[in-house]
Amino acid sequence: MKNFPVFVFPVSLEFYLNARHTYKQLLTVYNPYEFSVNFKVLCTSPNKFTVIDPEGVIAPQSCIDIIVRYTQPSASHCNTTDKFRITMYDRNTQQALGKRDIPTKLIDGEPSNTNPESLGDNFHPLASRSTPQKQTEEHPKVICNHPSHRDNPPVNVVAVAVSICCIAALLLPTQPEATVNSQLPEWLHIGSNLKLVFSFVLGLVSMLVLRP
């Protein structure tokens, strides 16, 4: 037999004579390996127990639940330890890979409802090293002044003036338009290349003024 560890939870079973709900319990068997395995359940006292699906296959990295029922609880069986043995086998060679024994016991009475935290040593809450006042001083509140909360900067007067000049220049007549019927002097007629320059400058100034 190889020495593969067999993972089962819980590691022991306890049945209580006066608590019928404990007559049925679950054993979870895990297969953490990268290959499927066969399993088989044996018992030292098969006349006391029934096991649903006592053998089968566990897929890789999976688990199964085995239902165990105590069928013949009696006072004469109390405080007697029985065992279940769960063995894993290689699916191809049927060679045993490992085994795990699960002790079981029938206890006279009912399960205790005592809070486990109240058992054993007495535990007490720990006092904090710092008082709430000190904690407040160590972690003061910080008010963040985000730039978006500040007053908006004043509009650039120079940029607005340049924009107005560019717009006015673009409204002037374009050479070589006829100036006979024009009421404006000839020197106010500008060329198309110059108007392209004014348009470019107006676009840059507009981006500067209108950006958030």
Side-chain angles (χ1 to χ4, degrees):
M1 176 184 294
K2 297 182 180 180
N3 193 21
F4 280 68
V6 178
F7 300 94
V8 184
F9 181 84
V11 295
S12 64
L13 295 177
E14 291 183 348
F15 303 88
Y16 290 86
L17 184 62
N18 298 332
R20 295 183 60 86
H21 66 277
T22 66
Y23 293 175
K24 174 184 176 182
Q25 298 196 29
L26 289 179
L27 279 176
T28 302
V29 185
Y30 300 87
N31 175 19
Y33 306 110
E34 300 292 337
F35 50 88
S36 299
V37 296
N38 291 351
F39 75 92
K40 189 173 184 179
V41 183
L42 303 175
C43 183
T44 56
S45 300
N47 58 320
K48 297 180 183 178
F49 304 92
T50 59
V51 176
I52 299 178
D53 297 330
E55 55 185 297
V57 179
I58 310 177
Q61 298 181 348
S62 302
C63 64
I64 61 165
D65 290 331
I66 301 174
I67 301 176
V68 178
R69 295 180 184 272
Y70 205 119
T71 57
Q72 296 184 5
S74 65
S76 61
H77 295 159
C78 289
N79 299 323
T80 299
T81 300
D82 300 305
K83 291 182 179 181
F84 287 97
R85 172 167 293 179
I86 300 176
T87 307
M88 284 187 175
Y89 298 89
D90 187 295
R91 292 201 65 190
N92 297 324
T93 64
Q94 294 303 313
Q95 180 183 3
L97 300 176
K99 63 181 179 179
R100 182 67 178 270
D101 291 345
I102 308 297
T104 67
K105 182 182 291 187
L106 179 64
I107 301 174
D108 189 7
E110 298 181 0
S112 174
N113 293 326
T114 306
N115 188 346
E117 295 182 358
S118 64
L119 301 177
D121 298 333
N122 294 325
F123 293 91
H124 304 279
L126 296 174
S128 175
R129 291 186 178 181
S130 59
T131 61
Q133 180 64 27
K134 291 183 179 180
Q135 292 179 356
T136 304
E137 295 176 356
E138 293 175 358
H139 303 281
K141 293 183 178 180
V142 178
I143 301 176
C144 178
N145 293 323
H146 195 274
S148 61
H149 296 162
R150 300 174 183 173
D151 295 333
N152 293 327
V155 178
N156 194 326
V157 179
V158 176
V160 174
V162 172
S163 300
I164 295 174
C165 293
C166 291
I167 294 174
L170 292 174
L171 295 177
L172 293 176
T174 305
Q175 292 179 349
E177 292 180 355
T179 59
V180 178
N181 297 327
S182 176
Q183 299 178 358
L184 297 176
E186 185 177 355
W187 60 272
L188 289 179
H189 293 246
I190 61 177
S192 58
N193 291 335
L194 191 58
K195 281 195 173 184
L196 290 176
V197 174
F198 282 117
S199 299
F200 179 73
V201 174
L202 178 61
L204 293 179
V205 175
S206 300
M207 292 176 59
L208 178 64
V209 174
L210 299 178
R211 70 177 181 178

